[in-house]
Amino acid sequence: MTVQKQTAFLNWDDVRVFLELARTGSLSAAARALRISHATVGRRVAALEADLGRTLVERRVDGYTLTAEGEAVFVLADGMDERALAILRRGGHEQGLTGTVRLTATQALADRFLVPRLGPFHARHPGIDLEVTVDNRALSLARREADLAIRLARPEHGDLIARRLATIVYGLFAMPGARDAWIGYDEALADLPEAVWLARHGAGRRVAFRSNSVQAQLAAAKAGFGAALLPVWLAAGEPELVALPMPEPLAREAWLVLHRDMKEVPRVRAVIEHLVALFSAEPALAPLDA
């Protein structure tokens, strides 16, 4: 009598969800990154634990932590994750000018600059679906949280390509007669270059309104709270605001960032070309050569 040896198979989706929970330590953060529900995250990780016959994560007051077994599995699976994602990124080469391109940018750039200018792109490339994620976090391009990112700082790590799109110039703007107080950022963004500039030049001045949202700061300036430090391109659409003297210039570079594997994917190239043209055509931005 011959005994057939059974081969065990792991569900890769379970492993992928486990990796995200291990990285974030939170059901909600893992669910957001993977665009699935909290319940699905829990169910996938439980299924992986059942397949392996061991406990991988423990629930703590401040989130989830890995057990010793979980640490060992994470080390092994982390490399698998990157190789699998590399295969997925290369798969996009065969799709041509169809499929989805995921783009992430800050709220102001997405809502006020990019999305209103994407109509011609859709008309020219109707087979490409765009997914725009408004997020100030640096979403992972390696883990396909996004295909393209517009960031206000050049990334220093990862197998990424970064192209300078433009220089974003800032100015002080206020309603007439409402320039005594200032509008600033909350403490969580104290290290932001704009917040540092305000702290240096606004020492001793009243801050009548704070927000981590540039669009909220713009609205506060229009409501008469005081002077706001705003991108010139954004304030240019608000003719009622008055430009105030700048004690020191401030500018930040906008970078278009993508994973090296996505460089030659046709649908991604099409989006890149459109974005470069958009930034080059905006008179309130100073274009930069790549």
Side-chain angles (χ1 to χ4, degrees):
M1 176 175 158
T2 302
V3 178
Q4 292 185 340
K5 182 180 178 181
Q6 287 188 336
T7 302
F9 293 94
L10 288 179
N11 186 317
W12 174 247
D13 284 336
D14 295 345
V15 178
R16 184 170 60 96
V17 173
F18 161 72
L19 286 169
E20 197 61 43
L21 180 60
R23 293 183 182 113
T24 61
S26 156
L27 282 179
S28 58
R32 284 196 302 271
L34 296 170
R35 297 178 176 86
I36 58 179
S37 68
H38 298 59
T40 301
V41 173
R43 186 171 65 252
R44 290 286 191 184
V45 173
L48 179 61
E49 291 179 323
D51 286 342
L52 297 177
R54 62 195 71 176
T55 301
L56 303 179
V57 297
E58 291 180 346
R59 178 71 181 270
R60 300 283 180 84
V61 175
D62 57 348
Y64 285 80
T65 187
L66 295 179
T67 64
E69 290 288 349
E71 292 280 3
V73 172
F74 178 82
V75 171
L76 292 171
D78 192 31
M80 295 166 56
D81 182 40
E82 175 54 34
R83 288 190 290 273
L85 290 171
I87 293 172
L88 287 173
R89 289 193 296 265
R90 290 196 60 81
H93 290 71
E94 306 302 323
Q95 290 183 290
L97 295 176
T98 61
T100 299
V101 176
R102 300 177 179 89
L103 171 67
T104 179
T106 61
Q107 183 178 13
L109 274 173
D111 292 353
R112 299 291 296 270
F113 183 78
L114 291 174
V115 176
R117 293 168 171 80
L118 290 176
F121 176 85
H122 179 62
R124 189 161 57 251
H125 301 293
I128 299 177
D129 300 325
L130 293 178
E131 183 177 311
V132 178
T133 301
V134 174
D135 206 318
N136 292 323
R137 298 176 301 128
L139 297 184
S140 174
L141 299 174
R143 298 203 300 270
R144 297 195 77 201
E145 293 179 356
D147 299 313
L148 294 169
I150 298 177
R151 297 176 179 168
L152 299 185
R154 184 173 189 170
E156 299 178 356
H157 306 288
D159 192 16
L160 304 175
I161 298 173
R163 172 172 182 162
R164 289 184 297 177
L165 287 173
T167 297
I168 297 180
V169 178
Y170 286 75
L172 278 173
F173 297 89
M175 294 294 289
R179 60 184 66 186
D180 293 335
W182 278 26
I183 293 167
Y185 290 85
D186 58 25
E187 293 183 0
L189 296 178
D191 294 332
L192 202 67
E194 298 93 308
V196 172
W197 190 97
L198 287 168
R200 182 165 62 246
H201 296 287
R205 302 190 70 166
R206 178 191 174 198
V207 180
F209 184 92
R210 297 180 186 271
S211 176
N212 63 353
S213 165
V214 175
Q215 294 205 85
Q217 293 181 16
L218 170 64
K222 293 170 63 178
F225 276 88
L229 183 65
L230 301 170
V232 171
W233 70 263
L234 181 62
E238 310 293 343
E240 64 269 41
L241 292 177
V242 176
L244 306 179
M246 288 279 286
E248 178 187 6
L250 176 67
R252 298 190 66 183
E253 291 181 348
W255 293 84
L256 180 62
V257 186
L258 68 153
H259 196 279
R260 192 171 300 277
D261 290 345
M262 301 298 291
K263 181 181 178 182
E264 301 303 329
V265 176
R267 66 182 186 278
V268 174
R269 289 297 314 168
V271 176
I272 291 172
E273 292 169 5
H274 186 76
L275 293 177
V276 170
L278 284 184
F279 277 82
S280 298
E282 175 54 54
L285 297 170
L288 289 168
D289 293 330

